[in-house]
Amino acid sequence: MKLTRQHFEFIADEFAPLLGWATDVETMTNALRKTNPNFDADKFKKRALKNWEAKAEREGLYNE
């Protein structure tokens, strides 16, 4: 299956925030790397982590 940029953007925006830990973004990135030789892993990780961190902050995970 060859995923497109639109697929990667959707995954980074909608699914990355659902991950339990920020380190899971790396696991997801490695799996997605296999779907398209043009996959920009750094760009994906940056976007996915931004979305994961935004959700964590909204949920108070950064407030102690």
Side-chain angles (χ1 to χ4, degrees):
M1 169 190 323
K2 185 173 178 183
L3 299 178
T4 67
R5 180 173 38 110
Q6 289 175 317
H7 292 114
F8 296 133
E9 290 172 352
F10 180 80
I11 292 167
D13 294 344
E14 300 298 327
F15 292 116
L18 302 175
L19 297 172
W21 300 97
T23 54
D24 293 335
V25 170
E26 183 72 32
T27 303
M28 180 185 280
T29 302
N30 290 334
L32 291 173
R33 207 183 297 261
K34 301 171 190 171
T35 67
N36 186 324
N38 297 320
F39 176 61
D40 188 337
D42 292 332
K43 186 175 180 179
F44 176 83
K45 278 194 291 191
K46 183 177 179 180
R47 185 172 181 150
L49 283 171
K50 180 182 135 235
N51 289 310
W52 187 92
E53 289 172 348
K55 181 180 180 224
E57 190 171 331
R58 281 192 311 272
E59 292 182 354
L61 298 178
Y62 289 145
N63 300 331
E64 301 211 5

